[in-house]
C-alpha cells in the first residue's frame, strides 16, 4: 500500500491522472474530453466536454442493483413520523416533483428556491431540480423574511417551493407568512410558489401564484421525467455561506466535478459502502446537508437519514436509538450539537447498541479538546474532525480513513485532503511557510479540486476579488482561516483571519486564548474578541459560560473566576494573551448553524452597529453582552 503522502502527492502532481480515475466512480452520459480546463485561472472547468446528471447518479443509477434497498429514511420526532423510501420509491417521488415543477414552468437553468423544513419533499425538490437541470437554492428554514428576501433577490427564482410550517421542540413554526412577507420585500417576484401542506398551520393562498403540491402530484403520479443530461460544468445549485463574518456569499457549484468529489469522499474519507446507512444530523439549509444528507450518501448507494427534530427530544438518546435501529455505519455532526449532548446524562449513549457505527465525523467549527474527549470516551468510536467550508463543498482537512491509517490528534482536523494543495502563507510577506509549527493563513493553490465553488453566483468579479490572490505564475485561494502545521503534516486551525487580535504588536488568534480558557474546569464555553484600546491597539475580552453557575453566584466568586482564568492564560500563553476582562453570561451569540458570532460581539464591545444579524440564533445572548458592556 502506498502511504497517504504518496496518495496526496499524486493527486497534486498527476492531477489529471488522479481525477480521471476518480471520475470512474460516477456514471457519464458523454465522456469528458478534458479533466481540468484551467486556461482561465482561477476559474476551473472540471470534466469539460462531459455530460452527466447528479440525480441520475444519486437515484436512477441504483435502480439496477438496489431498487428495493432503503434510500431515504425520514424520521421526525416533531410530528412523530417515520417514512422509508426505497430507491424505486424515491425515483417515483422525484419524478412527481419534477413533473410538478415543469408544470409550473421550470426549465433547465432556471432557479428554484427551496425554503422548507426537514421533510422528504425538500429532498425530492432538490433532486427534482438537478434531474431537470434547474438550479436549486436552498434557504435554511429558520431564516425570517429579510434574510429570505435578500436570497430571493440574489438567486431570482422562477418558483419557490415551501411548506406551511416546520416544527421545533414540539412547537409549530409557520413558514408561509414569512415567505409571503419576503416576496413582498424582494424586488424579484417568483412566478409561482409550490406549497407542501403538512396540515400544521393554516395559511393564505395567493390566487394564480400559489400551487398545492398534493394536487399537482396527484396529476403526475405516473409522469415519466427523464434526467436531462447537462454539461459537467452546468451549475447544480447555489448556496449561501453561513454569514458568520458578513454578507453571505452565493456559492455556485457545478455538476460533474461535484458528483465525482462526493463519490470519492465517500470512498476515501467516510468509508461508506453501498447498502449501508449514513446519518448526518445537519440541515438541508447548510452545505453539510447538501453534500452529506442528500447527494453524497445517495451517490454512494447508501441510505440516508433525514431527521427532523432536536437531539435531546424525546430524550438525549434519540440519535443513538436511530443508529441502532438503522445500523448506521457513518455519522456526521457538529461540535455545537455534541456540546448540547454533553450537558445530558452520558448513560444515553451506552443504552443502545452502536456496534454498527465505524466513526463519527464532526465539522463546522473548532472541535475543542474537552468536547472531543467527552464524545470519544462516551461513544467508544473514532471521532474525526473535518475542516471545510460552504465554498469547498467537501473536506479540505481530514484524516482520509480509506487511504490513511494514521491516528487523529486532538485539536487537529488532520492533514491536507487529496486534491487540495494546501499552503500556509505568511500574511505579512505573502510567502509560503514551510517550517512546522509556524502560523499562517490556510490557502489552497489553484485550481481548487472538483466539487468546490465555480464562482460566486452572478458575480465572477466578487469571486476573484474575495478569494484569490495572484502570486507570479499562480493563483492562491484563501480560506480566511489561520492555522499551523506540525512536523507530521497535521494542521491546527487557530481561528479566522479577522478574529486575530493585535495586542501591542503581538498577533494572537482568538482560538488559542479560548482553548486556554476552556481548560479551566468550570468553563463550558467561551468567546474571545479583540476590542479597540487606546494604549495597546487592541485588548482581548472574554465572555464565558460557566458549567456550574452557582460557583459564580456573587461578584466575589465571579472575580475569583476571572482571576483564575487570567492566571491560566498567563501560564499557558503568556501575559500578552491575557484577557483584559472576563465576563460571565448564560449563552453566547451564535449563527443558526452554531458558529460563534465574534464580529457581532466585537462590534457591541466597541459600541458599533452590529451589522447583519439575520443569521443569529438567540438575540437574548447578545443582549446580555450589551447590558454588560453598557457604560455604567
Ligand atoms: P461566512 O463565510 O459567510 O462568514 P462561515 O465561514 O461561517 O460564514 P461556512 O462555510 O459555513 O460559513 O463555514 C466555514 C468556516 O467554518 C471555515 O472557514 C472555518 O472558519 C470554520 N470551520 C469549519 N470546520 C472547521 C473545523 N473542523 N475546525 C475549525 N474551524 C472550522
Ligand atoms: Mg466563510
Amino acid at each position: 500500500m502506498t502511504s497517504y503522502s504518496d496518495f496526496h502527492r499524486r493527486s497534486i502532481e498527476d492531477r489529471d491522472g488522479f481525477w480521471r480515475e476518480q471520475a470512474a466512480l460516477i456514471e457519464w452520459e458523454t465522456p469528458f474530453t478534458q479533466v481540468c480546463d484551467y486556461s482561465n485561472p482561477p476559474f476551473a472547468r472540471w470534466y469539460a466536454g462531459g455530460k452527466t446528471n447528479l440525480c441520475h447518479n444519486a437515484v436512477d443509477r441504483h435502480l439496477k442493483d438496489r431498487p428495493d434497498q432503503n434510500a431515504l429514511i425520514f424520521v421526525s420526532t416533531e410530528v412523530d413520523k417515520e417514512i422509508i423510501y426505497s430507491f424505486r420509491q424515491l425515483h417515483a417521488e422525484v419524478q412527481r416533483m419534477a413533473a410538478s415543477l415543469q408544470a409550473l414552468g421550470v426549465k433547465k437553468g432556471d432557479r428554484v428556491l427551496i425554503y422548507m423544513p426537514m421533510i422528504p419533499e425538500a429532498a425530492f425538490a432538490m433532486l427534482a431540480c438537478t434531474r431537470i437541470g434547474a438550479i436549486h437554492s436552498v434557504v435554511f428554514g429558520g431564516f425570517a423574511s429579510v434574510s429570505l428576501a435578500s436570497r430571493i433577490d440574489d438567486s431570482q427564482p422562477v418558483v419557490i417551493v415551501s411548506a406551511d410550517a416546520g416544527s421545533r421542540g414540539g412547537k409549530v413554526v409557520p413558514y408561509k407568512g414569512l415567505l409571503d412577507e419576503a416576496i413582498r420585500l424582494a424586488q424579484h417576484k417568483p412566478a409561482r410558489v409550490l406549497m407542501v401542506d403538512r396540515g400544521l398551520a393554516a395559511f393564505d393562498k395567493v390566487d394564480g401564484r400559489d400551487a398545492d403540491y398534493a394536487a399537482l402530484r396527484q396529476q403526475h403520479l405516473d409522469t415519466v421525467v427523464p434526467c436531462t443530461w447537462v454539461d459537467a460544468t452546468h451549475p447544480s445549485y447555489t448556496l449561501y455561506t453561513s454569514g458568520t463574518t458578513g454578507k453571505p456569499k452565493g456559492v455556485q457549484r457545478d455538476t460533474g466535478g461535484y458528483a465525482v468529489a462526493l463519490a470519492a469522499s465517500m470512498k476515501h474519507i467516510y468509508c461508506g459502502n453501498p447498502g449501508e446507512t449514513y446519518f448526518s444530523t445537519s440541515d438541508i439549509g447548510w452545505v453539510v446537508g447538501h453534500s452529506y444528507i442528500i447527494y453524497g450518501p445517495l451517490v454512494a448507494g447508501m441510505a440516508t437519514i433525514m431527521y427532523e427534530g432536536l437531539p435531546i427530544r424525546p430524550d438525549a438518546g434519540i440519535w443513538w436509538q436511530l443508529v441502532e435501529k438503522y445500523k448506521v455505519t457513518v455519522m456526521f455532526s457538529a461540535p455545537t450539537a455534541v456540546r448540547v449532548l454533553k450537558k445530558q446524562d452520558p448513560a444515553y449513549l451506552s443504552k443502545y447498541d452502536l456496534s454498527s457505527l465505524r466513526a463519527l465525523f464532526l465539522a463546522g467549527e473548532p472541535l475543542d479538546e474537552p468536547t472531543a474527549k467527552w464524545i470519544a470516551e462516551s461513544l467508544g468510536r473514532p471521532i474525526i474532525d473535518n475542516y471545510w467550508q460552504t465554498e469547498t463543498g467537501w473536506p479540505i482537512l481530514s484524516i482520509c480513513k480509506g487511504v490513511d491509517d494514521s491516528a487523529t490528534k486532538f485539536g487537529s482536523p488532520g492533514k491536507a485532503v487529496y486534491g487540495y494543495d494546501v499552503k500556509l502563507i505568511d500574511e505579512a510577506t505573502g510567502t509560503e511557510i514551510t517550517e512546522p509549527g509556524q502560523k499562517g493563513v490556510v490557502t489552497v493553490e489553484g485550481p481548487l479540486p472538483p466539487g468546490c465553488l465555480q464562482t460566486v453566483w452572478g458575480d465572477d468579479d466578487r469571486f476573484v476579488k474575495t478569494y484569490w490572490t495572484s502570486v507570479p505564475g499562480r493563483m492562491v485561494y484563501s480560506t480566511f482561516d489561520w492555522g499551523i502545521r506540525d512536523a507530521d503534516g497535521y494542521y491546527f486551525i487557530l481561528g479566522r483571519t479577522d478574529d486575530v487580535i493585535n495586542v501591542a504588536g503581538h498577533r494572537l488568534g482568538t482560538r488559542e486564548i479560548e482553548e486556554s480558557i476552556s481548560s479551566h474546569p468550570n468553563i463550558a464555553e467561551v468567546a474571545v474578541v479583540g476590542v479597540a484600546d487606546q494604549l495597546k491597539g487592541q485588548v482581548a475580552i472574554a465572555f464565558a459560560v460557566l458549567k456550574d453557575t452557582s460557583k459564580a453566584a456573587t461578584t466575589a466568586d465571579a472575580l475569583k473566576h476571572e482571576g483564575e482564568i487570567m492566571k491560566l492564560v498567563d501560564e499557558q500563553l503568556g501575559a500578552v494573551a491575557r484577557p483584559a476582562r472576563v465576563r460571565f453570561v448564560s449563552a453566547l451569540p451564535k449563527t443558526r448553524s452554531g458558529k460563534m458570532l465574534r464580529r457581532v460581539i466585537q462590534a457591541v464591545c466597541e459600541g458599533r452597529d452590529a451589522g447583519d444579524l439575520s443569521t443569529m440564533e438567540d438575540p437574548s445572548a447578545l443582549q446580555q453582552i450589551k447590558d454588560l458592556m453598557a457604560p455604567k
Side-chain angles (χ1 to χ4, degrees):
M1 189 177 148
T2 55
S3 71
Y4 177 69
S5 62
D6 291 339
F7 186 81
H8 181 269
R9 187 174 317 113
R10 176 165 177 242
S11 75
I12 305 301
E13 289 174 1
D14 178 20
R15 181 187 74 206
D16 287 5
F18 181 89
W19 287 108
R20 179 176 288 112
E21 278 168 28
Q22 305 304 318
L25 292 169
I26 69 154
E27 286 185 357
W28 297 87
E29 191 258 349
T30 308
F32 46 90
T33 48
Q34 201 178 354
V35 177
C36 180
D37 169 10
Y38 197 50
S39 55
N40 178 28
F43 300 92
R45 294 174 67 248
W46 283 97
Y47 304 115
K51 279 188 195 291
T52 185
N53 181 290
L54 199 49
C55 181
H56 169 84
N57 277 287
V59 183
D60 300 44
R61 177 188 179 183
H62 305 300
L63 295 176
K64 194 160 34 71
D65 295 334
R66 53 193 84 259
D68 299 311
Q69 277 181 15
N70 292 352
L72 184 70
I73 301 169
F74 167 65
V75 179
S76 173
T77 50
E78 294 290 340
V79 296
D80 218 5
K81 253 196 188 148
E82 227 164 292
I83 313 173
I84 300 183
Y85 300 86
S86 65
F87 277 99
R88 198 199 304 278
Q89 289 164 329
L90 180 61
H91 182 239
E93 291 299 345
V94 170
Q95 291 188 82
R96 290 165 189 156
M97 180 63 84
S100 304
L101 291 174
Q102 285 180 331
L104 297 181
V106 176
K107 294 187 205 52
K108 181 181 165 196
D110 286 347
R111 271 83 56 215
V112 173
L113 190 141
I114 299 173
Y115 178 63
M116 293 177 95
M118 287 280 286
I119 55 175
E121 288 80 0
F124 305 156
M126 292 168 75
L127 291 160
C129 285
T130 48
R131 186 172 193 83
I132 61 178
I135 302 166
H136 61 69
S137 181
V138 181
V139 175
F140 177 58
F143 283 141
S145 309
V146 175
S147 330
L148 180 55
S150 71
R151 288 159 176 83
I152 292 174
D153 278 334
D154 194 71
S155 61
Q156 312 237 324
V158 173
V159 168
I160 296 183
V161 189
S162 191
D164 56 336
S167 177
R168 198 175 150 81
K171 278 218 325 253
V172 170
V173 185
Y175 278 29
K176 183 58 165 43
L178 297 175
L179 174 61
D180 287 341
E181 174 63 7
I183 295 175
R184 199 185 63 74
L185 292 172
Q187 302 278 311
H188 171 86
K189 309 290 175 195
R192 307 297 301 265
V193 170
L194 180 57
M195 289 298 297
V196 175
D197 189 353
R198 311 176 72 189
L200 293 181
F203 58 88
D204 294 332
K205 279 201 182 82
V206 176
D207 277 343
R209 188 196 73 186
D210 296 357
D212 175 46
Y213 181 59
L216 265 179
R217 178 181 174 276
Q218 206 56 39
Q219 291 168 25
H220 293 286
L221 283 180
D222 300 312
T223 310
V224 174
V225 183
C227 289
T228 301
W229 300 111
V230 297
D231 288 337
T233 53
H234 181 72
S236 56
Y237 67 77
T238 68
L239 175 64
Y240 297 88
T241 58
S242 302
T244 310
T245 51
K247 187 173 174 273
K249 301 164 276 277
V251 162
Q252 177 184 319
R253 196 92 64 211
D254 72 356
T255 298
Y258 186 50
V260 172
L262 292 183
S265 73
M266 294 306 289
K267 185 172 171 201
H268 305 308
I269 303 176
Y270 300 103
C271 307
N273 304 306
E276 297 177 353
T277 305
Y278 197 103
F279 178 20
S280 164
T281 68
S282 181
D283 187 284
I284 49 154
W286 312 123
V287 67
V288 178
H290 282 63
S291 293
Y292 297 110
I293 294 177
I294 306 296
Y295 293 114
L298 293 176
V299 164
M302 296 179 81
T304 183
I305 296 180
M306 191 172 185
Y307 174 67
E308 180 187 47
L310 302 178
I312 50 168
R313 208 174 156 270
D315 61 48
I318 179 65
W319 283 0
W320 318 111
Q321 192 186 324
L322 293 175
V323 170
E324 176 183 283
K325 181 166 178 189
Y326 293 106
K327 300 197 170 41
V328 170
T329 56
V330 189
M331 196 167 161
F332 197 129
S333 192
T336 181
V338 175
R339 280 193 288 267
V340 169
L341 294 178
K342 201 170 146 211
K343 294 185 187 143
Q344 312 283 320
D345 187 349
Y348 283 115
L349 281 113
S350 46
K351 230 173 106 179
Y352 299 96
D353 175 7
L354 307 179
S355 56
S356 60
L357 192 65
R358 286 194 293 265
L360 168 65
F361 292 85
L362 297 173
E365 52 182 308
L367 175 60
D368 56 286
E369 197 160 328
T371 303
K373 287 217 159 111
W374 180 84
I375 187 71
E377 276 158 26
S378 320
L379 205 59
R381 287 284 175 285
I383 306 300
I384 302 175
D385 186 2
N386 280 189
Y387 163 85
W388 45 298
Q389 308 182 298
T390 307
E391 288 86 345
T392 65
W394 61 288
I396 305 172
L397 302 176
S398 181
I399 293 294
C400 299
K401 274 286 161 201
V403 279
D404 187 2
D405 53 14
S406 358
T408 53
K409 290 191 190 182
F410 275 122
S412 164
K415 312 175 196 172
V417 167
Y418 57 88
Y420 290 93
D421 192 4
V422 180
K423 293 191 168 150
L424 290 178
I425 301 288
D426 183 312
E427 236 183 341
T429 62
T431 54
E432 188 184 344
I433 293 167
T434 47
E435 280 291 292
Q438 303 260 17
K439 293 174 204 172
V441 181
V442 180
T443 67
V444 182
E445 178 149 350
L448 290 171
C452 296
L453 82 168
Q454 289 181 292
T455 184
V456 170
W457 173 252
D459 201 343
D460 284 349
D461 209 40
R462 188 170 176 210
F463 171 64
V464 178
K465 288 204 178 111
T466 306
Y467 297 104
W468 296 87
T469 322
S470 1
V471 196
R474 309 179 278 129
M475 289 202 82
V476 173
Y477 169 88
S478 177
T479 62
F480 299 106
D481 288 308
W482 218 33
I484 56 174
R485 181 179 52 229
D486 71 9
D488 303 323
Y490 287 69
Y491 285 81
F492 294 78
I493 299 295
L494 302 174
R496 296 166 185 261
T497 49
D498 46 8
D499 284 340
V500 168
I501 305 182
N502 196 330
V503 185
H506 301 276
R507 295 172 62 71
L508 306 159
T510 48
R511 167 98 196 269
E512 288 172 281
I513 307 176
E514 286 169 4
E515 286 268 329
S516 168
I517 296 176
S518 293
S519 65
H520 183 287
N522 197 27
I523 297 294
E525 216 175 355
V526 61
V528 169
V529 295
V531 176
D533 180 86
Q534 289 206 327
L535 198 64
K536 296 183 173 168
Q538 269 187 322
V539 291
I541 298 193
F543 294 93
V545 179
L546 293 170
K547 278 186 194 149
D548 181 356
T549 45
S550 66
K551 288 192 183 148
T554 65
T555 313
D557 292 337
L559 282 174
K560 183 172 155 273
H561 269 78
E562 183 176 33
E564 285 170 11
I565 286 168
M566 289 181 171
K567 189 156 161 272
L568 201 64
V569 176
D570 275 6
E571 284 165 9
Q572 294 182 358
L573 302 175
V576 282
R578 180 201 304 158
R581 267 171 281 171
V582 183
R583 293 291 175 266
F584 301 100
V585 288
S586 66
L588 291 162
K590 291 189 180 168
T591 64
R592 288 166 189 273
S593 50
K595 289 154 186 290
M596 197 78 78
L597 281 163
R598 291 190 192 77
R599 69 167 162 98
V600 171
I601 305 177
Q602 186 187 38
V604 165
C605 291
E606 294 184 341
R608 285 183 286 114
D609 174 41
D612 184 0
L613 296 179
S614 59
T615 58
M616 190 160 70
E617 170 81 35
D618 171 16
S620 74
L622 187 62
Q623 193 54 47
Q624 288 185 46
I625 294 178
K626 279 189 183 151
D627 294 345
L628 283 168
M629 299 309 287
K632 299 241 160 52

